[in-house]
Amino acid sequence: MNGIGGTAVQQSELSGRVALVTGAGQGIGEAVTRALVAQGARVAALDWTPDGVKRLEAEFGRDTVTAHTADVADSAAVEAVVDEVERTVGPLAILVNVAGVLRPSPVVDITDEVWERTFAVNSTGVFNASRAAARRMTGRGSGCIVTVGSNAAGVPRTSMAAYAASKAAATMFTKCLGLELGRSGVRCNVVSPGSTDTAMQRDLWTDEQSPLRVIEGDPASYRVGIPLGRIAEPSDVADAVTFLVSDRARHITMHDLYVDGGATLRA
């Protein structure tokens, strides 16, 4: 298996480490869970609905993946899951915040419920899980937290104000956390995907030409295309996550790694 820059990666790179992945039931969260397992980690897979994480548990077995159900917006529920993981699986070494919601709408039409729920999951959920993990990791002097954000956090998008703002909040929160925890040995980073072939992405498509429009861009909505000419697969994002939680990234913290095929034209 190849890692970043073609470096050979041992399958057991994360052997013996316990990871918690939120939003693990599908899409990027599922891909991250599979990637961490492939590197030898034991994964606590968390989602607010049970079906996806239970399928992962059944596929890999409880010695490798344990299924947990909670709403990341509920701080008490998240704390209870982290307690259970530490008690029954082992000390938490890795947290990957993936859980997220997207409900597109022009700002003038956003309801209070949509705004509040978007921030509750995308921002407060990151806070809840990160705080619970950080409290335990700092005492042990090691650990990695990665938040899966979005390139929408760094560039305006029409009809995505709530989503983009919530992801921007989660991104800056994670960087501030990394600054606070640096001397404790805990690293905190962000992976910011662009358009990725997930159920969330497909929900935005209106016809069979929608993927092509994503790749080519849409001048009417001031959106550039994807220079690499392809929509990401969840595994592309998962590979970036597994790099950042590995020892190969031991001197990287407070970093925001864009995985968007160049779509935001970042310098």
Side-chain angles (χ1 to χ4, degrees):
M1 180 177 180
N2 288 330
I4 301 298
T7 302
V9 179
Q10 297 298 319
Q11 191 173 35
S12 59
E13 183 175 36
L14 301 177
S15 179
R17 301 185 197 183
V18 176
L20 172 63
V21 180
T22 73
Q26 63 178 345
I28 292 172
E30 178 182 350
V32 168
T33 298
R34 293 182 180 279
L36 294 176
V37 166
Q39 296 301 321
R42 297 184 67 191
V43 181
L46 172 67
D47 210 296
W48 74 325
T49 56
D51 292 350
V53 290
K54 285 186 175 180
R55 281 195 299 271
L56 287 168
E57 181 182 89
E59 177 181 345
F60 290 105
R62 284 188 57 83
D63 287 342
T64 302
V65 175
T66 56
H68 306 267
T69 304
D71 183 349
V72 293
D74 183 338
S75 61
V78 171
E79 189 71 30
V81 168
V82 173
D83 275 340
E84 180 184 0
V85 171
E86 292 247 331
R87 186 177 67 255
T88 63
V89 183
L92 194 61
I94 297 166
L95 167 67
V96 186
N97 294 300
V98 186
V101 296
L102 169 59
R103 300 178 185 176
S105 175
V107 170
V108 294
D109 296 325
I110 297 175
T111 66
D112 291 352
E113 186 275 331
V114 166
W115 180 268
E116 291 164 4
R117 182 60 182 167
T118 300
F119 271 82
V121 176
N122 296 357
S123 304
T124 303
V126 170
F127 163 71
N128 288 338
S130 299
R131 179 179 61 179
R135 284 170 170 167
R136 294 156 175 85
M137 290 176 176
T138 53
R140 294 190 283 264
S142 65
C144 300
I145 295 172
V146 173
T147 295
V148 175
S150 171
N151 66 354
V155 62
R157 294 274 193 248
T158 58
S159 295
M160 293 180 67
Y163 180 78
S166 67
K167 288 294 189 176
T171 294
M172 186 52 70
F173 165 80
T174 303
K175 291 182 178 182
C176 290
L177 183 65
L179 181 61
E180 292 185 9
L181 301 187
R183 291 190 180 276
S184 74
V186 178
R187 297 186 295 106
C188 303
N189 291 291
V190 179
V191 172
S192 293
S195 296
T196 306
D197 191 0
T198 63
M200 179 183 288
Q201 176 68 42
R202 287 174 176 265
D203 284 343
L204 301 176
W205 295 350
T206 57
D207 56 51
E208 62 183 14
Q209 295 301 312
S210 292
L212 183 61
R213 286 194 291 271
V214 170
I215 293 170
E216 293 185 342
D218 180 15
S221 63
Y222 309 100
R223 181 167 181 158
V224 300
I226 303 175
L228 284 182
R230 60 183 287 268
I231 294 173
E233 297 175 5
S235 60
D236 295 319
V237 183
D239 285 345
V241 171
T242 53
F243 166 67
L244 286 173
V245 303
S246 75
D247 291 341
R248 289 170 292 140
R250 66 182 184 178
H251 205 55
I252 300 174
T253 193
M254 295 180 284
H255 182 63
D256 188 357
L257 175 57
Y258 272 53
V259 184
D260 68 352
T264 45
L265 307 181
R266 287 172 64 87

